[in-house]
RNA sequence: GGGGCGGUAGCUCAAUUGGUUAGAGUACCGGCCUGUCACGCCGGUGGUUGCGGGUUCGAGUCCCGUCCGCCUCGCCA
């Protein structure tokens, strides 16, 4: 076999005259006659044009080259020379070509079902790409994504290694725990009727590692959650997971903010600056979401007090609603220049669309500089001046309202804010807006069971000084949790953990775990906490989402080499699939038809 | 579990109101071409219209069911 001397990206005019060997796949062939054939040879790095010319090499070689087809695997020996027909500015190697003297066909390829061309893939049915993933991954774009992912992993390990973190592996076969996402489970062969669960994250193991005196832990673990996928969510995904002992919240935020900034600098040459912090309350009130996109304005205001002065039934009946978060609210934001840019069709559309989020509609009006006209103008007439003042309205603005319980109105208007920004292209696509969201509530009330549910997870500590509220007013207890948000997408979250067993026991009580259940599910943690648990905290970043940002895709499947479909299938290997009766028997399981 | 969109040649798509033998580009095969570069020109092969029923003289088109893919609500401590 001819051994290659250079990659298909390596050769430049400086190599002219050298004898080289290249190997790769036939990207395109252009045969001009029996006497002249061009091949663009592709490897992981790039493309190089090979020319077969009877003027310079034996006829047999050129004839063999004439039979080459796309995706054949070949090696070529030849001489680097300046291109006879002029440079191709589209190629990095476009100033040179390799005049072939020897051709070795390493493997003929059947006609490929899809071609690894970026320009083809853009419009290709994703199903067919996933079925033929080995061909799809040959595309330059996919190769670049895989390379980016590898570089990020390398950078991450080096960054934390330099800061004295230990990379420690945690088990995949663990046990199912209550709350959280649905577990993937694995039947035990040796213990009939018992099941392992695959980890949703290494959460408890990394806390145990802190108790075990490891002080600083890092891992890039696979995490598995058996929930329905989304464009930015897979059942199987990877985290950058870490935990630190003897730290408070600021220590973790500084470490991870520094990491994010260093990563963006390394990968994109972007200076993200000091990452600001925002409380959860502020995020919810001003942006209607706990992961605010700060690349655009359209800030939301609460106008409940003004709405109470109107006789608009939509407002007044909403204000009378009750929910765990208190009385109903009326919220509003103004769209500068919206009167001109938002059509009636669009605003009507929003009223329909908003029902997805449980709101009844989107009352709308326009500001004419003096007051309001059209839409719900006559209802807000009594509060026109105050409303203009509150929202900072100017002539030509459109104002959108939502009115409902705090939960519904807040979420609905937050989603509307994003939709309007997208529709009007108000989002600066080149911006990087990071923000730490902090001071989450410890719990939210689940109305159905009338029980507290941990907003983050039940190992999250209350903020310093808040512990007393666990006893007196859990609903107002603020946690030491934090999320890092980038351009409206949550890329990581974590918390300072509970390190005192009595506090952990109290939180288990509050979320309705009996002492017996707590012992059965988390006894190991409670025992460990009693044997000298240091104060500790940590965070996990979603590696896949990080890569999505770095390579500029909104499809998580693009950044995973072998992703799964919306129904959890792998189209290439056709998983999941049945197992033998013998396997079932060994595992003590049997399937029953669902009714 | 709910809602929406889609499935026609290897690939990307078209096919009037239900109406002749389901077309085009590309790929593939054959021929031609000595400077192309997503080469070009000429000719050709290629179809279980996702699958199963139904309505009809006649179904890619209409109806019912089902499978698959994507987006989304719920879900995702």
């Amino acid at each position: 076999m001819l051994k290659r001397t250079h990659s298909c990206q390596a050769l430049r005019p400086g190599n002219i005259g050298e004898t080289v060997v290249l190997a790769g796949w036939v990207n395109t062939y252009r045969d001009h006659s029996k006497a002249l054939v061009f091949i663009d040879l592709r490897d992981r790095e790039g493309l190089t044009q090979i020319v077969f010319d009877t003027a310079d090499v034996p006829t047999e070689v050129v004839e063999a080259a004439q039979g080459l087809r796309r995706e054949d695997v070949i090696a070529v020996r030849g001489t680097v020379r300046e291109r006879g027909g002029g440079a191709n500015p589209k190629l990095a190697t476009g100033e040179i070509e390799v005049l072939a003297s020897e051709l070795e066909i390493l493997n003929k390829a059947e006609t490929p079902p899809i071609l690894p061309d970026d320009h083809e893939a853009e419009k290709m049915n994703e199903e067919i790409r996933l079925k033929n993933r080995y061909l799809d991954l040959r595309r330059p774009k996919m190769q670049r994504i895989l390379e980016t992912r590898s570089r990020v992993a390398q950078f991450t390990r080096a960054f934390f290694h330099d800061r004295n973190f230990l990379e420690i592996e945690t088990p995949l076969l663990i046990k199912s725990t209550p709350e959280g996402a649905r577990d993937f489970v694995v039947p035990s062969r040796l213990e009939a009727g018992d099941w392992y669960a695959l980890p949703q994250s290494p959460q408890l193991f990394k806390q145990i590692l802190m108790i075990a005196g490891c002080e600083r832990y890092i891992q890039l673990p696979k995490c598995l959650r058996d929930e329905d996928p989304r464009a930015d969510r897979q059942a199987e995904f990877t985290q950058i997971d870490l935990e630190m002992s003897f730290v408070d919240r600021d220590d973790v935020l500084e470490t991870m903010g520094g990491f994010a900034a260093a990563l963006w600098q390394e990968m994109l040459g972007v200076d993200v600056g000091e990452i600001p912090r925002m409380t959860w309350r502020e995020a919810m009130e001003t942006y209607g979401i706990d992961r605010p996109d700060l690349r655009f304005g359209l800030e939301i205001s609460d106008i409940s007090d003004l709405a109470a002065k109107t006789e608009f039934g939509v407002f007044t009946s909403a204000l009378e609603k009750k929910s765990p978060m208190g009385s109903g609210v009326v919220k509003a934001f103004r769209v500068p220049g919206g009167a001109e840019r938002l059509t009636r069709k669009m605003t009507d559309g929003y009223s329909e669309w908003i029902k997805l989020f449980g709101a009844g509609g989107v009352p709308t009006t326009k500001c004419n500089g003096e007051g309001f006209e059209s839409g719900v103008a006559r209802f807000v007439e009594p509060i026109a001046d105050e409303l203009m003042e509150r929202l900072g309205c100017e002539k030509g603005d459109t104002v959108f309202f939502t009115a409902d319980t705090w939960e519904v109105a807040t979420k609905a208007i937050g989603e509307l804010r994003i939709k309007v920004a997208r529709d009007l292209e108000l989002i600066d696509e080149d911006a990087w807006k990071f923000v730490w969201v902090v001071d989450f509530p410890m719990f939210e009330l689940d109305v159905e069971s009338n029980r507290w549910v941990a907003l983050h997870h039940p190992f999250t500590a209350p903020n310093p000084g808040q512990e007393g509220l666990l006893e007196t007013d859990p609903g107002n207890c603020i946690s030491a949790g934090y999320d890092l948000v980038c351009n409206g997408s949550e890329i990581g979250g974590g918390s300072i953990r509970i390190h005192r067993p009595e506090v952990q026991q109290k939180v288990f009580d509050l979320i309705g775990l009996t002492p017996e259940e707590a012992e059965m599910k988390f006894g190991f943690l409670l025992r460990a906490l009693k044997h000298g648990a240091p104060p500790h905290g940590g965070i996990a970043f979603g590696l896949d989402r990080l890569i999505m940002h770095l390579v500029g895709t909104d499809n998580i499947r693009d950044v995973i080499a072998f992703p799964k479909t919306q129904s959890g299938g792998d189209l290439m290997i056709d998983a999941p699939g049945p197992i033998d009766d013998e396997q079932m028997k060994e595992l003590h399981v049997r399937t029953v038809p669902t009714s």
Side-chain angles (χ1 to χ4, degrees):
Chain A
M1 185 179 83
L2 286 172
K3 288 297 180 71
R4 63 177 167 177
T5 58
H6 295 76
S7 83
C8 292
Q9 182 74 345
L11 299 172
R12 294 292 186 276
N15 302 95
I16 285 171
E18 294 178 24
T19 298
V20 299
V21 177
L22 300 181
W25 289 262
V26 172
N27 194 64
T28 50
Y29 63 92
R30 296 178 290 277
D31 63 324
H32 275 258
S33 66
K34 289 202 170 69
L36 180 67
V37 176
F38 297 99
I39 298 290
D40 284 345
L41 190 64
R42 185 192 70 241
D43 65 13
R44 198 180 86 190
E45 312 279 330
L47 290 176
T48 300
Q49 173 167 287
I50 315 291
V51 59
F52 296 84
D53 190 337
T54 44
D56 301 279
V57 298
T59 314
E60 309 90 74
V61 177
V62 182
E63 274 172 8
Q66 242 193 323
L68 292 173
R69 289 298 177 266
R70 291 208 53 167
E71 303 313 311
D72 287 342
V73 188
I74 63 172
V76 171
R77 189 195 308 279
T79 313
V80 182
R81 69 180 191 189
E82 193 177 358
R83 285 201 180 191
N88 180 354
K90 291 183 202 163
L91 288 187
T93 60
E95 289 180 72
I96 55 95
E97 65 189 4
V98 171
L99 174 64
S101 56
E102 189 179 344
L103 167 67
E104 183 175 357
I105 297 176
L106 300 170
N107 208 352
K108 284 292 287 181
E110 280 186 15
T111 302
I114 62 172
L115 293 169
D117 292 336
D118 286 329
H119 59 91
E120 294 284 336
E122 300 300 318
K123 49 183 184 175
M124 200 179 300
N125 192 333
E126 196 176 358
E127 194 173 351
I128 207 80
R129 288 176 46 202
L130 292 174
K131 239 171 229 165
N132 301 278
R133 194 60 165 173
Y134 39 86
L135 293 174
D136 192 41
L137 290 176
R138 285 183 193 166
R139 290 162 44 211
K141 244 178 214 173
M142 297 307 277
Q143 291 287 334
R144 276 207 307 280
I145 290 172
L146 293 176
E147 184 191 335
T148 297
R149 193 167 172 133
S150 173
R151 280 177 60 207
V152 170
Q154 288 295 112
F155 180 85
T156 302
R157 289 199 166 94
F159 184 94
F160 289 106
H161 175 80
D162 288 348
R163 284 156 185 78
N164 210 20
F165 283 73
L166 298 183
E167 182 168 359
I168 304 174
E169 290 161 281
T170 52
L172 279 177
L173 294 171
I174 61 173
K175 75 173 179 180
S176 188
T177 53
E179 307 215 10
R182 190 179 296 113
D183 285 317
F184 281 100
V185 294
V186 178
S188 163
R189 176 178 58 85
L190 297 173
E191 297 285 347
D194 279 351
W195 299 76
Y196 297 100
L198 302 177
Q200 299 177 23
S201 79
Q203 180 60 36
L204 292 174
F205 284 95
K206 64 177 177 173
Q207 290 189 236
I208 297 284
L209 285 171
M210 295 303 100
I211 299 170
C214 293
E215 300 196 16
R216 293 185 159 208
Y217 143 92
I218 171 90
Q219 189 185 190
L220 306 186
K222 271 293 182 73
C223 301
L224 300 113
R225 298 177 186 178
D226 190 6
E227 301 291 350
D228 287 9
R230 285 286 187 281
D232 64 348
R233 207 167 82 189
Q234 282 264 302
E236 181 179 351
F237 63 101
T238 306
Q239 288 184 342
I240 297 173
D241 190 46
L242 59 92
E243 196 78 5
M244 308 162 75
S245 292
F246 310 113
V247 292
D248 60 20
R249 185 174 77 184
D250 285 352
D251 294 320
V252 180
L253 298 198
E254 265 166 44
T255 300
M256 280 316 268
F259 167 70
L263 185 63
W264 252 249
Q265 186 58 249
E266 167 76 13
M267 301 302 295
L268 300 175
V270 166
D271 178 10
V272 303
E274 184 73 15
I275 298 176
R277 298 183 192 181
M278 181 184 295
T279 66
W280 175 84
R281 173 65 69 173
E282 185 184 355
M284 296 304 289
E285 295 293 349
T286 310
Y287 301 97
I289 195 165
D290 60 3
R291 44 184 167 87
D293 191 339
L294 303 183
R295 291 175 298 173
F296 59 95
L298 305 183
E299 287 86 356
I300 297 159
S301 300
D302 189 308
I303 60 146
S304 303
D305 55 325
L306 304 181
K309 298 188 212 169
T310 69
E311 293 181 359
F312 186 23
V314 172
F315 287 178
T316 55
S317 63
L319 293 173
E320 285 165 16
K321 291 190 180 182
K322 295 282 180 235
S323 73
M325 293 298 283
S327 301
V329 295
V330 179
K331 304 216 152 222
F333 69 88
R334 72 182 185 103
V335 183
E340 216 162 81
R341 301 193 57 198
L342 288 157
T343 63
R344 178 65 191 267
K345 191 177 168 188
M346 290 164 82
T347 57
D348 285 352
Y350 295 148
S351 265
E352 270 309 303
W353 174 83
I354 207 80
K355 290 173 183 170
L356 277 176
F357 305 99
V362 182
T364 305
T365 190
K366 296 173 189 172
C367 178
N368 60 17
E370 311 291 316
F372 296 96
E373 60 185 34
S374 84
V376 298
R378 71 188 173 91
F379 296 110
V380 299
E381 169 64 34
I383 56 167
D385 289 346
E386 290 168 286
L387 191 55
M388 286 181 62
E389 169 83 29
R390 178 79 53 92
L391 301 178
C393 283
E394 291 173 14
K395 187 171 194 286
D397 290 354
T398 294
V399 178
F400 290 120
F401 303 88
T402 60
D404 211 299
T405 60
W406 184 87
E407 290 89 333
V408 171
T410 298
K411 173 161 195 189
I413 203 163
E415 296 289 343
L416 180 64
R417 170 180 174 268
I418 295 166
K419 180 155 181 69
V420 169
R422 285 188 183 145
D423 288 351
L424 296 184
E425 297 177 342
L426 301 178
I427 302 174
D428 178 358
E429 297 291 346
D430 296 326
W432 294 106
K433 292 290 188 182
F434 285 79
V435 58
W436 285 109
V437 177
V438 299
D439 292 349
F440 288 80
M442 282 285 286
F443 308 101
E444 56 188 355
L445 195 65
D446 180 54
V447 276
E448 277 175 31
S449 59
N450 197 38
R451 276 201 323 209
W452 296 108
V453 177
L455 199 74
H456 193 64
H457 58 53
F459 318 107
T460 298
N463 255 345
Q466 296 271 310
E467 293 90 343
L469 289 173
L470 289 178
E471 298 287 350
T472 58
D473 187 4
N476 277 316
C477 186
I478 299 297
S479 86
Y482 32 79
D483 281 354
L484 182 60
V485 174
C486 171
N487 293 353
S489 135
E490 183 200 323
I491 58 176
S495 62
I496 299 301
R497 325 297 183 187
I498 296 168
H499 67 281
R500 298 212 325 268
E502 65 275 15
V503 177
Q504 186 65 70
Q505 187 68 63
K506 179 67 204 167
V507 170
F508 285 156
D509 288 347
L510 280 167
I511 62 173
L513 273 187
T514 65
E516 293 73 31
E517 286 172 324
E519 171 57 31
M520 192 170 73
K521 298 295 185 184
F522 302 116
F524 68 98
L525 175 68
L526 291 169
R527 276 188 294 283
L529 289 173
K530 289 175 186 165
H531 289 103
H536 63 285
I539 193 165
F541 276 14
L543 178 65
D544 312 277
R545 284 194 191 160
L546 227 45
I547 308 296
M548 286 170 69
H549 278 111
L550 291 171
V551 303
T553 178
D554 52 12
N555 180 352
I556 197 170
R557 294 176 298 279
D558 282 349
V559 302
I560 297 175
F562 302 104
K564 291 182 173 53
T565 68
Q566 193 127 155
S567 51
D570 181 317
L571 297 179
M572 185 181 73
I573 67 172
D574 193 24
I579 59 173
D580 295 341
D581 289 346
E582 188 54 33
Q583 287 175 289
M584 303 266 283
K585 202 172 164 189
E586 275 185 340
L587 295 170
H588 323 286
V589 298
R590 136 179 105 211
T591 52
V592 286
T594 46
S595 45

